[in-house]
Amino acid sequence: MTTGTTPPSTSVSPTARQVWTRARGVVLAAVVLLAAAAVIAVIRSGAEHGRLDPRSADTDGSRAVAELLDDRGVSTRLVTTLDEARAAAGPDTTLLVAVPDLLTDSQQRSLREATEASGGRTVLVAPGPPSVHTLAPGVTADAALSLDSTLRPRCELPAARRAGSADTGGLRYHVTARAADACYPEDGLPTLVRVPAAEGDGDTVVLGAPDILLNSSLDEQGNASLALQLLGSRPHVVWYLPSLSDDSAADAGNRSFFDLLPSGWFWGTLQLFVAGALAALWRARRLGPLVPERLPVAIRASETVEGRARLYRKANARDRAAAALRSTTRTRLAPLVGVPVSRAHTPEALLPALSTHLHGDGQPLHTLLFGPPPGDDKALIALTDQLDALEREVRRS
């Protein structure tokens, strides 16, 4: 019994609500990550403003040290280019390099050549592996930082002994240079090193942390005393703040994007990649025997036929549609005329039986059941009607 109602269509495609429900966790995590990155960038940009700048009164600035030096008759001049720093090197000058790790390899070598025999003092503030070996030969940075910030001198350097405990804890160094003073050690590795020059009265001071120069911590421990003694041994202080816009950084253009990233980002990304690979391996589909699985919905035969017909029409595949119609018709006619189904697609077996059953000419039957594909949609519809008529006639006979 048929009715005039059309069965409701069934769709297995996810709705917009389902897609949002599945993806909202990832979207929320991405938004939180971007927001945290923006907040950290804003905070760090504000915190780094004026850092180690002798003109800055911020907590991370060094204006207090410059004023104390001025009170003692020591002039302070700020320079931002390598050429100015090289020209200022001399026996009556203390050259302070605020951020040595910003210098390129060629800048480091050039600065070392200018200060090595100048007879003055060079103070390197927290130089790491990228710069300390070149600017202070015989000194290398340790991978582990000092756990304590305030340390005792434990050396014979007069400036350190007079200052006493100071906030020098930061980078630690291995020292192989001869006659070097290794002060403020932590677990046997110093955080302040003085390396005398091979010739003359000059020297290089490697300072593991910038705390003794900052406005916020100058009045703590013996920080002020140590800073004034290290910087006030000559009548002039040239405060070198390396700039990324310095034209002398010629080899900076040869650096790739990955060379500019800190090593921590590389290792962090590598750990995330390994964690993602392990998660994929854990959640991946296991290979094994095929297991029958019930479909989530029951699909009506009429919907399947209609869907396949639309696909044939979209692909303009009249030959495939005609072949399917003829094959199905032959399969249904064969048992009705006493031909095995296995031979239903053999003209020599099916056509004589049909001709005998219908008492008609076999040539039209051959064209109808085994003929060429229709040339257009109208011919395909006519073929369908003829096959239906043939099957009805066989069933009535």
Side-chain angles (χ1 to χ4, degrees):
M1 178 178 180
T2 60
T3 61
T5 60
T6 303
S9 60
T10 304
S11 175
V12 295
S13 301
T15 63
R17 183 181 182 87
Q18 291 174 332
V19 172
W20 166 247
T21 302
R22 297 172 185 174
R24 62 184 177 183
V26 178
V27 174
L28 181 60
V31 171
V32 171
L33 183 62
L34 291 176
V39 172
I40 292 174
V42 171
I43 294 176
R44 292 194 62 182
S45 63
E48 296 292 332
H49 177 69
R51 182 174 175 81
L52 287 176
D53 191 330
R55 303 165 301 180
S56 174
D58 294 343
T59 56
D60 288 341
S62 301
R63 182 175 176 179
V65 174
E67 291 183 351
L68 290 177
L69 289 172
D70 184 66
D71 292 341
R72 286 159 178 75
V74 179
S75 64
T76 301
R77 179 166 65 97
L78 177 66
V79 298
T80 57
T81 66
L82 179 63
D83 293 339
E84 292 175 315
R86 284 172 51 87
D92 60 346
T93 300
T94 297
L95 177 62
L96 183 143
V97 185
V99 192
D101 290 349
L102 287 181
L103 300 176
T104 64
D105 294 340
S106 62
Q107 286 179 313
Q108 294 172 20
R109 292 191 296 268
S110 179
L111 183 62
R112 178 61 185 173
E113 291 174 359
T115 59
E116 186 175 9
S118 65
R121 167 170 288 181
T122 303
V123 178
L124 307 175
V125 181
S131 62
V132 65
H133 182 68
T134 302
L135 295 175
V139 181
T140 56
D142 188 71
L145 299 177
S146 171
L147 298 178
D148 296 326
S149 174
T150 303
L151 301 173
R152 300 180 61 184
R154 301 178 188 269
C155 67
E156 299 300 324
L157 183 65
R161 292 178 63 86
R162 286 192 292 267
S165 298
D167 292 327
T168 60
L171 287 170
R172 305 185 306 170
Y173 300 97
H174 297 274
V175 182
T176 58
R178 295 182 179 180
D181 294 304
C183 302
Y184 297 97
E186 201 267 347
D187 284 346
L189 296 179
T191 58
L192 186 150
V193 181
R194 174 188 170 271
V195 182
E199 299 180 0
D201 297 330
D203 58 11
T204 299
V205 176
V206 179
L207 186 61
D211 297 43
I212 66 172
L213 304 174
L214 302 180
N215 297 331
S216 60
S217 55
L218 186 64
D219 59 345
E220 299 176 0
Q221 310 300 329
N223 295 346
S225 175
L226 183 59
L228 293 176
Q229 292 182 81
L230 294 179
L231 301 181
S233 61
R234 270 80 171 170
H236 305 290
V237 173
V238 175
W239 202 291
Y240 178 27
L241 278 175
S243 173
L244 295 176
S245 60
D246 190 353
D247 295 336
S248 64
D251 64 343
N254 298 328
R255 288 176 146 185
S256 66
F257 171 75
F258 297 101
D259 294 332
L260 301 178
L261 291 177
S263 59
W265 284 93
F266 171 76
W267 292 113
T269 305
L270 181 61
Q271 292 177 11
L272 288 177
F273 176 79
V274 172
L278 292 176
L281 183 62
W282 168 49
R283 299 294 296 175
R285 187 187 297 259
R286 300 297 188 268
L287 298 178
L290 296 177
V291 178
E293 182 179 1
R294 296 185 61 184
L295 291 175
V297 294
I299 301 177
R300 298 176 183 270
S302 59
E303 294 183 8
T304 303
V305 172
E306 184 179 356
R308 178 171 292 185
R310 288 177 178 176
L311 290 176
Y312 284 153
R313 182 177 182 181
K314 185 176 181 180
N316 201 23
R318 287 185 293 271
D319 53 345
R320 292 180 177 271
L325 291 172
R326 285 167 168 161
S327 176
T328 304
T329 302
R330 293 194 299 263
T331 302
R332 290 201 294 258
L333 290 177
L336 298 178
V337 296
V339 176
V341 177
S342 60
R343 303 193 64 188
H345 308 293
T346 305
E348 294 78 4
L350 180 63
L351 294 180
L354 280 175
S355 300
T356 303
H357 204 74
L358 296 175
H359 305 287
D361 188 6
Q363 184 62 29
L365 293 177
H366 186 282
T367 303
L368 180 60
L369 295 175
F370 298 96
D376 52 23
D377 291 344
K378 184 177 180 180
L380 178 63
I381 295 175
L383 174 64
T384 304
D385 294 338
Q386 293 172 7
L387 292 175
D388 287 341
L390 175 62
E391 185 175 351
R392 287 196 299 270
E393 184 178 355
V394 171
R395 291 183 182 276
R396 287 197 302 266
S397 60

Coordinates of all heavy atoms in Angstrom, one line a residue, residues 84-153:
E84 N 81.3 53.9 17.7 CA 81.5 54.8 18.8 C 82.1 54.1 20.0 O 83.0 54.7 20.7 CB 80.1 55.4 19.3 CG 79.5 56.3 18.3 CD 78.1 56.8 18.7 OE1 77.3 55.9 19.2 OE2 77.8 57.9 18.7
A85 N 81.7 52.9 20.2 CA 82.4 52.1 21.3 C 83.8 51.8 21.0 O 84.7 51.9 21.9 CB 81.6 50.8 21.5
R86 N 84.2 51.5 19.8 CA 85.6 51.2 19.5 C 86.4 52.5 19.6 O 87.5 52.5 20.1 CB 85.7 50.7 18.0 CG 85.3 49.3 17.8 CD 85.2 48.9 16.4 NE 86.4 49.3 15.7 CZ 87.5 48.5 15.6 NH1 87.5 47.3 16.1 NH2 88.6 48.9 14.9
A87 N 85.8 53.6 19.2 CA 86.6 54.9 19.3 C 86.8 55.3 20.7 O 87.8 56.0 21.0 CB 85.8 56.0 18.5
A88 N 85.9 54.9 21.6 CA 86.0 55.4 23.0 C 87.0 54.6 23.8 O 87.3 54.9 24.9 CB 84.6 55.4 23.6
A89 N 87.4 53.4 23.3 CA 88.2 52.5 24.1 C 89.6 53.2 24.3 O 90.2 53.7 23.4 CB 88.4 51.2 23.4
G90 N 90.1 53.2 25.6 CA 91.3 53.8 25.9 C 91.7 53.5 27.3 O 91.0 53.0 28.1
P91 N 92.9 53.9 27.7 CA 93.4 53.6 29.0 C 92.7 54.3 30.2 O 92.7 53.9 31.3 CB 94.9 54.0 29.0 CG 95.0 55.0 27.9 CD 94.0 54.6 26.9
D92 N 92.0 55.4 29.8 CA 91.3 56.2 30.9 C 89.8 55.9 30.8 O 89.0 56.7 31.3 CB 91.6 57.7 30.7 CG 91.2 58.2 29.4 OD1 90.9 57.4 28.5 OD2 91.1 59.4 29.2
T93 N 89.4 54.9 30.2 CA 88.0 54.6 29.9 C 87.6 53.2 30.4 O 88.3 52.3 30.2 CB 87.6 54.8 28.4 OG1 88.0 56.1 28.0 CG2 86.1 54.5 28.2
T94 N 86.4 53.1 31.0 CA 85.8 51.9 31.3 C 84.6 51.7 30.3 O 83.7 52.5 30.3 CB 85.2 51.8 32.7 OG1 86.3 51.9 33.7 CG2 84.5 50.5 33.0
L95 N 84.7 50.7 29.4 CA 83.7 50.4 28.4 C 82.7 49.4 29.0 O 83.1 48.2 29.2 CB 84.3 50.0 27.1 CG 83.3 49.6 26.0 CD1 82.5 50.8 25.6 CD2 84.1 49.0 24.8
L96 N 81.5 49.7 29.2 CA 80.5 48.8 29.7 C 79.6 48.4 28.6 O 79.0 49.2 27.9 CB 79.6 49.4 30.8 CG 78.6 48.5 31.5 CD1 78.5 48.8 33.0 CD2 77.2 48.7 30.8
V97 N 79.6 47.1 28.3 CA 78.7 46.5 27.2 C 77.5 45.9 27.9 O 77.6 44.9 28.6 CB 79.5 45.4 26.4 CG1 78.6 45.0 25.3 CG2 80.8 46.0 25.9
A98 N 76.3 46.6 27.7 CA 75.1 46.2 28.5 C 74.6 44.9 28.1 O 74.2 44.1 29.0 CB 74.1 47.4 28.4
V99 N 74.4 44.6 26.8 CA 73.8 43.4 26.3 C 74.8 42.8 25.3 O 74.5 42.9 24.1 CB 72.4 43.6 25.8 CG1 71.7 42.3 25.6 CG2 71.6 44.5 26.6
P100 N 75.8 42.1 25.7 CA 76.8 41.6 24.7 C 76.2 40.6 23.8 O 76.7 40.5 22.6 CB 77.9 40.9 25.6 CG 77.7 41.5 27.0 CD 76.2 41.8 27.1
D101 N 75.2 39.8 24.2 CA 74.6 38.8 23.3 C 73.9 39.3 22.1 O 73.6 38.6 21.2 CB 73.7 37.9 24.1 CG 74.4 37.0 25.1 OD1 75.7 37.0 25.0 OD2 73.8 36.4 26.0
L102 N 73.6 40.6 22.1 CA 73.0 41.2 20.9 C 74.0 41.5 19.8 O 73.6 41.7 18.6 CB 72.3 42.6 21.3 CG 71.0 42.5 22.1 CD1 70.5 43.9 22.3 CD2 70.0 41.6 21.4
L103 N 75.3 41.4 20.1 CA 76.3 41.7 19.1 C 76.5 40.5 18.2 O 76.4 39.3 18.6 CB 77.6 42.0 19.7 CG 77.7 43.2 20.7 CD1 79.1 43.3 21.3 CD2 77.4 44.5 19.9
T104 N 76.7 40.7 16.9 CA 76.9 39.6 15.9 C 78.4 39.2 16.1 O 79.2 39.8 16.8 CB 76.7 40.1 14.5 OG1 77.6 41.2 14.2 CG2 75.3 40.7 14.3
D105 N 78.7 38.1 15.4 CA 80.0 37.5 15.5 C 81.1 38.5 15.1 O 82.1 38.7 15.7 CB 80.1 36.2 14.7 CG 79.3 35.1 15.3 OD1 78.9 35.2 16.4 OD2 78.9 34.2 14.5
S106 N 80.8 39.2 14.0 CA 81.8 40.1 13.5 C 81.9 41.3 14.4 O 83.0 41.9 14.6 CB 81.4 40.6 12.1 OG 80.2 41.3 12.1
Q107 N 80.8 41.8 15.0 CA 80.9 42.9 16.0 C 81.7 42.5 17.2 O 82.5 43.3 17.7 CB 79.5 43.3 16.4 CG 78.7 44.1 15.3 CD 77.3 44.4 15.7 OE1 76.6 43.6 16.3 NE2 76.9 45.7 15.5
Q108 N 81.5 41.3 17.7 CA 82.3 40.8 18.8 C 83.8 40.8 18.6 O 84.6 41.3 19.4 CB 81.8 39.4 19.2 CG 80.4 39.3 19.7 CD 79.9 37.9 19.9 OE1 80.7 37.0 20.0 NE2 78.6 37.7 19.9
R109 N 84.1 40.3 17.4 CA 85.6 40.2 17.1 C 86.2 41.6 16.9 O 87.3 41.9 17.4 CB 85.8 39.4 15.8 CG 85.5 37.9 15.9 CD 86.0 37.2 14.7 NE 85.2 37.6 13.5 CZ 84.1 37.0 13.1 NH1 83.6 36.0 13.8 NH2 83.5 37.4 12.0
S110 N 85.4 42.5 16.3 CA 85.8 43.9 16.1 C 86.0 44.6 17.4 O 87.0 45.3 17.7 CB 84.9 44.7 15.2 OG 85.3 46.0 15.0
L111 N 85.0 44.4 18.3 CA 85.1 45.1 19.7 C 86.3 44.5 20.5 O 87.0 45.2 21.2 CB 83.8 44.9 20.4 CG 83.7 45.5 21.8 CD1 83.8 47.0 21.6 CD2 82.4 45.2 22.4
R112 N 86.5 43.2 20.4 CA 87.6 42.6 21.1 C 89.0 43.1 20.6 O 89.9 43.4 21.4 CB 87.6 41.1 20.9 CG 88.7 40.3 21.6 CD 88.7 40.6 23.1 NE 89.9 40.0 23.7 CZ 90.2 40.1 25.0 NH1 89.5 40.9 25.8 NH2 91.3 39.5 25.5
E113 N 89.1 43.3 19.3 CA 90.3 43.9 18.8 C 90.6 45.3 19.3 O 91.8 45.7 19.5 CB 90.3 43.9 17.2 CG 90.3 42.5 16.6 CD 90.1 42.5 15.1 OE1 89.9 43.7 14.6 OE2 90.1 41.5 14.5
A114 N 89.5 46.1 19.5 CA 89.7 47.5 19.9 C 90.0 47.6 21.4 O 90.7 48.5 21.8 CB 88.4 48.2 19.6
T115 N 89.5 46.6 22.2 CA 89.7 46.7 23.6 C 90.9 45.9 24.2 O 91.3 46.1 25.3 CB 88.4 46.3 24.4 OG1 88.1 44.9 24.0 CG2 87.2 47.2 24.0
E116 N 91.4 45.0 23.4 CA 92.4 44.0 23.9 C 93.6 44.7 24.4 O 94.2 44.4 25.4 CB 92.7 43.0 22.8 CG 93.6 41.9 23.3 CD 93.8 40.9 22.2 OE1 93.4 41.1 21.0 OE2 94.4 39.8 22.5
A117 N 94.1 45.7 23.6 CA 95.3 46.4 23.9 C 95.1 47.9 24.2 O 96.0 48.7 24.1 CB 96.3 46.2 22.8
S118 N 93.9 48.2 24.6 CA 93.6 49.6 24.9 C 94.1 50.1 26.2 O 94.2 51.3 26.4 CB 92.1 49.9 24.8 OG 91.4 49.2 25.8
G119 N 94.3 49.2 27.1 CA 94.8 49.6 28.5 C 93.6 50.0 29.4 O 93.8 50.3 30.6
G120 N 92.4 50.0 28.9 CA 91.2 50.3 29.7 C 90.6 49.1 30.2 O 91.0 47.9 30.1
R121 N 89.4 49.3 30.8 CA 88.6 48.2 31.4 C 87.4 48.0 30.6 O 86.7 48.9 30.2 CB 88.2 48.5 32.9 CG 87.2 47.5 33.4 CD 87.0 47.7 34.9 NE 88.2 47.1 35.6 CZ 88.3 47.1 37.0 NH1 87.3 47.6 37.7 NH2 89.4 46.6 37.5
T122 N 87.0 46.7 30.3 CA 85.8 46.4 29.6 C 84.9 45.5 30.6 O 85.4 44.5 31.1 CB 86.1 45.5 28.4 OG1 87.0 46.3 27.5 CG2 84.8 45.2 27.6
V123 N 83.7 46.0 30.8 CA 82.8 45.3 31.7 C 81.7 44.7 30.8 O 81.0 45.4 30.1 CB 82.2 46.3 32.8 CG1 81.2 45.5 33.6 CG2 83.3 46.9 33.6
L124 N 81.5 43.4 30.9 CA 80.5 42.7 30.1 C 79.4 42.3 31.1 O 79.6 41.6 32.1 CB 81.1 41.4 29.5 CG 82.3 41.6 28.6 CD1 82.9 40.3 28.1 CD2 82.0 42.6 27.4
V125 N 78.2 42.7 30.8 CA 77.1 42.5 31.7 C 76.3 41.2 31.2 O 75.7 41.2 30.1 CB 76.1 43.7 31.7 CG1 74.9 43.4 32.7 CG2 76.8 44.9 32.1
A126 N 76.4 40.1 32.0 CA 75.7 38.9 31.8 C 75.9 38.3 30.4 O 74.9 38.0 29.7 CB 74.2 39.0 32.1
P127 N 77.1 38.2 29.9 CA 77.3 37.6 28.6 C 77.1 36.1 28.6 O 77.5 35.4 29.5 CB 78.8 37.9 28.3 CG 79.4 38.0 29.6 CD 78.4 38.5 30.5
G128 N 76.4 35.6 27.6 CA 76.1 34.2 27.5 C 77.0 33.5 26.6 O 78.0 34.1 26.1
P129 N 76.7 32.2 26.2 CA 77.5 31.5 25.3 C 77.7 32.2 23.9 O 78.8 32.0 23.3 CB 76.8 30.1 25.1 CG 76.0 30.0 26.4 CD 75.6 31.4 26.8
P130 N 76.8 32.9 23.4 CA 77.0 33.6 22.1 C 78.1 34.6 22.1 O 78.7 34.9 21.0 CB 75.7 34.2 21.8 CG 74.7 33.5 22.6 CD 75.4 33.2 23.9
S131 N 78.5 35.1 23.2 CA 79.5 36.2 23.2 C 80.7 36.1 24.1 O 81.7 36.7 23.9 CB 78.7 37.6 23.5 OG 78.2 37.5 24.8
V132 N 80.5 35.4 25.3 CA 81.5 35.5 26.3 C 82.9 34.9 25.8 O 83.9 35.4 26.2 CB 81.0 34.8 27.6 CG1 80.8 33.3 27.4 CG2 82.0 35.1 28.8
H133 N 82.9 33.9 25.1 CA 84.1 33.2 24.6 C 84.9 34.1 23.7 O 86.2 34.1 23.8 CB 83.8 31.9 23.9 CG 85.1 31.2 23.5 ND1 85.9 30.6 24.4 CD2 85.6 30.9 22.3 CE1 86.9 30.0 23.8 NE2 86.7 30.2 22.5
T134 N 84.2 35.0 22.9 CA 85.0 35.9 22.0 C 85.4 37.1 22.7 O 86.5 37.6 22.6 CB 84.0 36.2 20.8 OG1 83.6 35.1 20.2 CG2 84.8 37.2 19.9
L135 N 84.5 37.7 23.5 CA 84.9 39.0 24.2 C 85.8 38.8 25.4 O 86.5 39.7 25.8 CB 83.6 39.7 24.6 CG 82.7 40.1 23.5 CD1 81.4 40.7 24.0 CD2 83.4 41.2 22.6
A136 N 85.7 37.6 26.0 CA 86.6 37.3 27.2 C 87.2 35.9 27.0 O 86.7 34.9 27.6 CB 85.8 37.4 28.5
P137 N 88.3 35.8 26.2 CA 88.9 34.5 26.0 C 89.3 33.9 27.3 O 89.9 34.5 28.2 CB 90.1 34.8 25.1 CG 89.7 36.1 24.4 CD 88.9 36.9 25.4
G138 N 89.1 32.5 27.4 CA 89.4 31.8 28.6 C 88.3 31.7 29.6 O 88.4 31.2 30.7
V139 N 87.1 32.3 29.2 CA 85.9 32.2 30.0 C 84.8 31.6 29.2 O 84.5 32.1 28.0 CB 85.5 33.6 30.6 CG1 84.3 33.5 31.4 CG2 86.7 34.2 31.3
T140 N 84.1 30.6 29.7 CA 82.9 30.1 29.0 C 81.7 30.0 30.0 O 81.9 29.8 31.2 CB 83.2 28.7 28.5 OG1 83.6 27.8 29.6 CG2 84.3 28.7 27.4
A141 N 80.5 30.2 29.5 CA 79.3 30.2 30.3 C 78.9 28.8 30.6 O 78.9 27.9 29.7 CB 78.2 31.0 29.6
D142 N 78.4 28.5 31.8 CA 77.9 27.3 32.2 C 76.4 27.2 31.8 O 75.7 28.2 31.8 CB 78.0 27.0 33.7 CG 77.6 25.6 34.1 OD1 78.4 24.7 33.8 OD2 76.6 25.5 34.8
A143 N 75.9 26.0 31.5 CA 74.5 25.9 31.1 C 73.5 26.1 32.2 O 72.4 26.6 32.0 CB 74.3 24.5 30.5
A144 N 73.9 25.9 33.5 CA 73.0 26.0 34.6 C 73.2 27.4 35.3 O 74.4 27.8 35.4 CB 73.2 24.9 35.6
L145 N 72.1 28.0 35.6 CA 72.2 29.3 36.3 C 72.4 29.1 37.8 O 72.2 28.1 38.4 CB 70.9 30.1 36.1 CG 70.6 30.5 34.6 CD1 69.3 31.2 34.6 CD2 71.7 31.3 34.0
S146 N 72.9 30.2 38.4 CA 73.1 30.2 39.9 C 71.7 30.1 40.6 O 70.7 30.8 40.2 CB 73.8 31.4 40.3 OG 73.8 31.5 41.7
L147 N 71.6 29.3 41.6 CA 70.3 29.2 42.3 C 70.2 30.3 43.3 O 69.0 30.6 43.7 CB 70.3 27.8 43.1 CG 70.3 26.6 42.2 CD1 70.3 25.3 43.0 CD2 69.1 26.6 41.2
D148 N 71.2 30.9 43.8 CA 71.2 32.0 44.8 C 71.5 33.3 44.1 O 72.4 33.4 43.2 CB 72.2 31.8 45.9 CG 71.9 30.5 46.7 OD1 70.7 30.2 46.9 OD2 72.8 29.8 47.2
S149 N 70.8 34.4 44.5 CA 71.0 35.7 43.9 C 72.1 36.4 44.7 O 73.0 37.0 44.1 CB 69.8 36.5 43.9 OG 70.0 37.8 43.5
T150 N 72.1 36.4 46.0 CA 73.1 37.0 46.8 C 74.2 36.1 47.2 O 74.0 35.0 47.8 CB 72.4 37.6 48.1 OG1 71.3 38.4 47.8 CG2 73.4 38.3 49.0
L151 N 75.4 36.4 46.9 CA 76.6 35.6 47.1 C 77.7 36.4 47.8 O 77.7 37.6 47.7 CB 77.1 35.0 45.7 CG 76.1 34.2 44.9 CD1 76.7 33.9 43.5 CD2 75.7 32.9 45.6
R152 N 78.6 35.6 48.4 CA 79.8 36.2 49.1 C 80.9 36.2 48.1 O 81.0 35.3 47.2 CB 80.0 35.5 50.3 CG 78.9 35.5 51.3 CD 79.2 34.7 52.6 NE 80.4 35.3 53.3 CZ 80.9 34.8 54.4 NH1 80.5 33.6 54.9 NH2 82.0 35.4 54.9
P153 N 81.9 37.1 48.3 CA 83.0 37.2 47.3 C 83.9 36.0 47.2 O 84.1 35.5 46.1 CB 83.8 38.4 47.9 CG 82.9 39.2 48.8 CD 82.0 38.2 49.3

